[in-house]
Amino acid sequence: MTTTRNSGARRPAGPDPDNDTTAGTGAAGVAATSGGAAGRSATTRRGTRTPSASPGRRTASAPVLSDRALGRATLARQYLLAPAAPGTLTVAAALTHLVGLQAQNVKPPYYGLAARIEDFDPRELSASMENRAAVRIVTMRSTIHTHTAADALTLRSLVQSALERELHGFRAGLVGVDQDRLVALSRDLVESEPRTMAQLREVLLKEWPDADPLALTLVARCRLPLVQVTPRGLWRRSGQVALTTVDRWLGRPLDPEPSAEDAVRRYLAAFGPASVKDMQTWARLTRLKAVFERLRPELLTFRDERGTELFDLPDAPRPDADTEAPPRLLPEYDNLLLSHADRSRVVPAAYKGLTWQGNYAYRVLMTDGLVAGVWKLEEDADSAVLTIEPFAPLGRGRREATVAEGERVLRLLAEPSVAHEVRFGAVRRT
């Protein structure tokens, strides 16, 4: 086992979170620091370039982007080829460009921003949540995300139809339940004071004692825009999941007519180039093909190695496939790993499924732009130990770069007063 030590860190890390899985300025064209004029040329198979496609060009004649080139393009947009330089990217700007961060647990948004912002201060995100500039709310894929307040009001409306489709599988447990009345009652309860799901369920069962308790709370969760109130999600503070409506919490109404076209542009800016099916996977929405077709005249088109048509913004970064991709330590559930139907650009076929064990998701090591292992951070009163388990030997240079990235993350997130250690060892449960 190899270790390195560093006692000179400067910033803290939060308490172990509960899992929230069952609780319930436009970014188009923004380039990461690695994207320049050369980075915008269309890259095909490794080491080969073709001219950029013209807007509206059809699949048969569109240039091919290799998986490696696609990965580099997405990493550039995710601020993962190089973290944003000090003072160049605020938390609010990052949340906006990334269209939010997965927040099934408390820590992932903090880890996700530490990987993307060189001088990230976790207190900035925590303060944004405390002053209600950012919130934790169910949006894409029916999962908790941390969004800016403005995006929470828009994106929740955008995915509302997808959330309501979830209820179809629970109809048997809702026989005799007036769902509109349930929603109105639930709204009154959580807006009078924030409630836990258990508290809400207790009241609903008094009204519908023969209904499925889970189904009752799912109606509230899916049909009401419930936000998790603070102190849940704050840095180094804990709190149970208590809920109110996002419009009550923010004092502003939901966007009644979110633009699907704007959503496509923002998705491509953060995750492109991508297919229609990719975006549908990201948002769990259907019938997006018509939206892409309306936008086709303003987009570029490409193909992946399997012939799937991909769309992109003309000015978005598309670095050369051989662009260096240094190691990064991503949280569990990071959107980089969950926002495409075809994840070949970042997940090698040999490693599919290795970052999950049952319902448990591991934090992920990326090297050379691909999933390459898992990691964990353990803290006590005296030490912060970051353990990395690669799936295969890294080689000396990559191993040293991985240690350096681990030390950087510890400087940002671990208590400055304790000893820091980066080691290689077992992370996955046996």
Side-chain angles (χ1 to χ4, degrees):
M1 180 167 61
T2 301
T3 66
T4 67
R5 297 181 183 273
N6 178 0
S7 60
R10 57 190 173 94
R11 291 189 183 125
D16 286 339
D18 297 324
N19 190 300
D20 293 339
T21 304
T22 57
T25 45
V30 176
T33 54
S34 58
R40 294 190 180 95
S41 63
T43 308
T44 58
R45 300 186 184 277
R46 185 170 178 172
T48 304
R49 294 186 181 181
T50 63
S52 296
S54 58
R57 199 168 175 180
R58 294 290 173 174
T59 306
S61 58
V64 174
L65 291 173
S66 68
D67 289 340
R68 187 177 176 88
L70 288 173
R72 293 303 192 267
T74 304
L75 290 171
R77 300 165 203 211
Q78 289 284 310
Y79 306 111
L80 291 171
L81 285 183
T88 62
L89 184 67
T90 65
V91 163
L95 288 177
T96 299
H97 174 67
L98 297 168
V99 204
L101 290 167
Q102 268 273 5
Q104 291 295 93
N105 296 329
V106 169
K107 291 180 181 177
Y110 294 95
Y111 292 149
L113 289 174
R116 292 168 166 92
I117 301 176
E118 187 173 334
D119 61 344
F120 172 64
D121 185 343
R123 294 168 297 185
E124 184 182 349
L125 175 58
S126 189
S128 295
M129 298 181 66
E130 195 160 25
N131 65 27
R132 307 189 189 188
V135 298
R136 294 166 57 84
I137 186 172
V138 173
T139 54
M140 284 79 72
R141 303 181 301 281
S142 191
T143 54
I144 303 292
H145 276 69
T146 296
H147 289 294
T148 64
D151 274 353
L153 295 170
T154 298
L155 294 170
R156 175 58 193 233
S157 294
L158 180 75
V159 301
Q160 186 59 43
S161 61
L163 293 171
E164 295 195 21
R165 282 199 306 274
E166 286 188 48
L167 298 176
H168 295 170
F170 294 88
R171 287 172 293 182
L174 293 168
V175 174
V177 175
D178 183 336
Q179 291 192 32
D180 289 339
R181 181 167 165 250
L182 185 156
V183 169
L185 174 59
S186 298
R187 179 181 284 277
D188 288 344
L189 288 167
V190 299
E191 289 189 342
S192 64
E193 63 177 289
R195 313 270 180 157
T196 67
M197 273 296 182
Q199 291 170 332
L200 190 58
R201 181 165 53 246
E202 182 180 359
V203 175
L204 297 177
L205 278 172
K206 290 178 181 178
E207 295 289 323
W208 295 281
D210 297 326
D212 175 12
L214 175 60
L216 291 175
T217 54
L218 280 176
V219 172
R221 181 183 188 270
C222 292
R223 293 192 57 189
L224 281 175
L226 298 176
V227 63
Q228 296 184 2
V229 305
T230 53
R232 185 67 176 175
L234 299 184
W235 187 243
R236 292 203 172 278
R237 293 172 62 183
S238 61
Q240 63 182 341
V241 176
L243 305 161
T244 189
T245 59
V246 68
D247 34 335
R248 172 57 63 91
W249 185 247
L250 297 178
R252 289 179 280 164
L254 287 172
D255 184 344
E257 296 182 353
S259 167
E261 287 81 2
D262 284 349
V264 168
R265 295 183 187 101
R266 294 188 61 190
Y267 171 75
L268 292 176
F271 297 98
S275 68
V276 175
K277 189 174 181 181
D278 286 332
M279 183 172 174
Q280 291 183 161
T281 297
W282 170 75
R284 201 172 285 173
L285 291 172
T286 59
R287 302 178 182 176
L288 288 180
K289 184 176 181 180
V291 184
F292 277 82
E293 289 300 326
R294 289 198 294 272
L295 292 175
R296 183 181 286 275
E298 69 181 65
L299 301 176
L300 303 184
T301 57
F302 301 92
R303 288 177 292 148
D304 66 16
E305 294 178 353
R306 290 154 291 282
T308 302
E309 183 177 37
L310 307 174
F311 294 85
D312 205 9
L313 303 172
D315 294 330
R318 286 178 291 279
D320 187 271
D322 287 327
T323 300
E324 182 182 1
R328 296 286 175 254
L329 298 174
L330 298 182
E332 66 272 33
Y333 307 117
D334 194 276
N335 278 334
L336 175 73
L337 308 174
L338 300 175
S339 299
H340 299 89
D342 183 347
R343 300 170 187 175
S344 302
R345 68 184 68 191
V346 289
V347 182
Y351 297 157
K352 284 183 179 178
L354 294 188
T355 61
W356 297 80
Q357 196 164 16
N359 291 326
Y360 183 81
Y362 293 103
R363 296 161 188 166
V364 175
L365 166 69
M366 306 284 294
T367 66
D368 194 31
L370 298 169
V371 169
V374 294
W375 64 281
K376 64 181 178 180
L377 176 59
E378 298 171 299
E379 298 179 90
D380 57 31
D382 300 314
S383 65
V385 179
L386 195 158
T387 304
I388 300 169
E389 180 184 346
F391 295 148
L394 296 177
R396 181 177 177 180
R398 199 164 287 170
R399 188 180 179 93
E400 291 175 351
T402 300
V403 169
E405 178 66 3
E407 291 171 342
R408 187 185 73 85
V409 168
L410 285 175
R411 287 194 297 272
L412 295 176
L413 299 177
E415 283 281 14
S417 59
V418 303
H420 296 170
E421 180 179 352
V422 177
R423 63 169 62 163
F424 291 92
V427 171
R428 289 179 293 170
R429 300 168 179 172
T430 57

